[in-house]
Amino acid sequence: MSHFQPVARVPGDPILGLMDAYRADPSPAKLDLGVGVYKDAQGRTPIMQAVKHAEQRLLTSETTKSYTSGHGDAAFGDLLLQLVLGQDSPLLAGQRAGTTQTPGGTGALRLTADFLSHCLPGRGIWLSDPTWPIHETIFAEAGLKVGHYPYVGADNRLDVAAMLAALEQVPSGDVVLLHACCHNPTGFDLSHDDWRQVLEVVRRRELLPLIDFAYQGFGDGLEDDAWAVRLFAAELPELLITSSCSKNFGLYRERTGALIVCAADHDKLLDVRSQLASLARNLWSTPPAHGAAVVATILGDAALRTEWQSELDLMRDRVLRLRLGLVEALQPFGLAERFAHIAAQRGMFSYTGLSPEQVRRLRDESSVYMVGSGRANVAGLDEQRLGELAAAIARVC
Ligand code: LMR
């Protein structure tokens, strides 16, 4: 008897699978606009200098490889809390917020999903349509009922009115997942005024917000990108935030992230945190240490922090330049207006508006790789080859 006989093969992950397909493509002209990693002018995903310097320090200063706690590295937790909520946040003084370190932002989402299904059973979760595909599966896998609110209209434009109308219909008590900035996959972010309106619906409908904050510093800057998170934290008694250090510290493979809980008071925070430690114990026991130690070293040292911030600023500026450059390169093909939204979007991604068929043709005919939904990782563009890409796009439009 074969025990594995009933096991069927499932398709590979569409985003990670693109990395493999790209690596296997022998074309020297290939272009990887798939998975969300930053690339420099040479097409490399570099280790940040601040990270290298922190690692050099850790090499000599680290004294143990014993387990961290269920909530991870305490220094990392405190410093990340300040980065996300702001040093002067009253939540810190009131001890109303706490960090649980997780393996990447994905781990934070997974822990959130388990927390909701164990501790708040029966709550549905509402995701933007579209959203990061793993949002869809992670909450469904944990047994939550997943619903959607519209985000982008058929014209590939942000549709806040439709979003607000849908949120008005969400059952009281349900969870609504919002992207703090650099919306994945569209790149369309809410304005401050839009956020205030969302806050009012969330408050009126007594919804529990979960803000996914995977790109702090990649949109308009570390502080600006945290604006909505801080607004919600100031205005609401309870909030869940998933934070990632993959992109802003370039620590992708170190799996460094956190679930931040804001509770009405310290005592309730401790209740929630006791559950999170218990749930995490059954998922990964204690989180991986290295990335968190790097982040804590950088954020805890004025010189390293300055170095890191200026590297992050350069990355963000480069992505913004690439956005403008691509729209400009599309001008000679009469496509600048059609793709003008690329310059207005923020973060790594652009929902280009290209159809799955056009994406397939770009890949087959020009070795340009992007996600089938038409999502392009702008941070993967090559400044010297924007004309080439524009010509490839023109051929399929
Ligand atoms: C992406 O959306 O490309 C990134 O967040 C990487 C991933 O894990 O999918």
Side-chain angles (χ1 to χ4, degrees):
M1 162 187 180
S2 163
H3 295 288
F4 297 155
Q5 196 280 330
V7 180
R9 192 173 307 179
V10 293
D13 180 83
I15 295 180
L16 297 181
L18 275 178
M19 283 176 106
D20 299 331
Y22 173 81
R23 281 189 197 120
D25 188 333
S27 166
K30 62 186 177 179
L31 198 54
D32 180 12
L33 309 182
V35 71
V37 294
Y38 174 82
K39 294 198 183 153
D40 65 13
Q42 285 73 44
R44 298 169 310 201
T45 302
I47 302 175
M48 294 171 92
Q49 280 306 302
V51 167
K52 274 283 180 208
H53 292 145
E55 285 180 323
Q56 276 156 10
R57 283 194 201 178
L58 286 168
L59 197 62
T60 49
S61 67
E62 220 172 29
T63 53
T64 182
K65 293 287 184 190
S66 177
Y67 299 116
T68 58
S69 85
H71 294 290
D73 179 329
F76 164 82
D78 288 346
L79 289 159
L80 192 74
L81 211 50
Q82 290 172 31
L83 187 71
V84 170
L85 295 179
Q87 275 169 357
D88 304 329
S89 168
L91 280 92
L92 303 186
Q95 296 189 290
R96 285 180 43 215
T99 311
T100 299
Q101 187 196 321
T102 55
T106 309
L109 288 161
R110 175 68 217 201
L111 182 60
T112 306
D114 273 16
F115 169 70
L116 295 172
S117 88
H118 279 77
C119 300
L120 305 175
R123 309 285 183 112
I125 185 157
W126 297 79
L127 312 176
S128 64
D129 179 18
T131 194
W132 184 45
I134 310 306
H135 285 153
E136 304 281 354
T137 48
I138 226 162
F139 293 102
E141 285 283 337
L144 272 86
K145 192 162 168 254
V146 177
H148 297 93
Y149 58 85
Y151 194 72
V152 169
D155 57 353
N156 194 29
R157 295 288 179 277
L158 184 62
D159 191 347
V160 183
M163 173 185 180
L164 292 168
L167 291 181
E168 290 282 7
Q169 304 304 317
V170 170
S172 180
D174 272 8
V175 182
V176 55
L177 189 151
L178 302 157
H179 300 226
C181 64
C182 310
H183 184 271
N184 182 2
T186 69
F188 288 116
D189 285 342
L190 299 176
S191 69
H192 287 190
D193 192 46
D194 298 336
W195 275 112
R196 284 194 194 93
Q197 294 191 64
V198 172
L199 171 69
E200 281 324 307
V201 182
V202 164
R203 196 185 340 239
R204 193 166 53 248
R205 302 286 313 149
E206 296 188 297
L207 308 178
L208 173 59
L210 161 60
I211 305 191
D212 193 359
F213 201 9
Y215 296 89
Q216 185 173 8
F218 258 92
D220 292 309
L222 283 169
E223 297 298 305
D224 287 353
D225 291 349
W227 187 87
V229 172
R230 294 176 188 176
L231 174 76
F232 274 55
E235 294 285 332
L236 298 171
E238 295 168 329
L239 173 64
L240 299 168
I241 305 157
T242 50
S243 164
S244 170
C245 302
S246 296
K247 325 282 172 168
N248 52 9
F249 287 86
L251 284 170
Y252 309 90
R253 64 173 61 175
E254 299 297 350
R255 313 309 300 137
T256 310
L259 168 57
I260 294 174
V261 176
C262 305
D265 58 50
H266 183 60
D267 206 44
K268 189 43 71 185
L269 177 68
L270 294 182
D271 293 341
V272 174
R273 283 173 65 73
S274 71
Q275 294 283 352
L276 295 181
S278 159
L279 292 164
R281 177 73 166 139
N282 288 295
L283 287 168
W284 46 74
S285 196
T286 57
H290 182 69
V294 168
V295 171
T297 305
I298 293 172
L299 294 180
D301 180 279
L304 285 181
R305 194 183 177 114
T306 306
E307 182 177 35
W308 165 69
Q309 269 182 229
S310 45
E311 287 180 88
L312 180 58
D313 290 348
L314 284 178
M315 292 201 280
R316 184 181 57 254
D317 289 349
R318 178 176 147 76
V319 176
L320 281 173
R321 232 178 24 249
L322 287 165
R323 287 184 176 282
L324 297 171
L326 179 56
V327 176
E328 212 177 287
L330 285 158
Q331 181 90 50
F333 301 96
L335 292 171
E337 202 174 313
R338 172 166 168 192
F339 289 99
H341 53 272
I342 294 176
Q345 293 159 334
R346 282 293 174 275
M348 284 190 173
F349 303 118
S350 170
Y351 225 36
T352 55
L354 292 167
S355 68
E357 173 61 12
Q358 288 168 322
V359 170
R360 188 193 59 73
R361 284 189 57 200
L362 274 173
R363 175 177 159 166
D364 292 351
E365 296 168 21
S366 309
S367 288
V368 174
Y369 289 76
M370 62 176 81
V371 181
S373 61
R375 185 194 85 168
N377 173 24
V378 182
L381 289 174
D382 181 341
E383 224 158 353
Q384 305 308 317
R385 294 176 52 204
L386 292 177
E388 216 178 290
L389 174 63
I393 291 175
R395 281 196 294 276
V396 301
C397 281

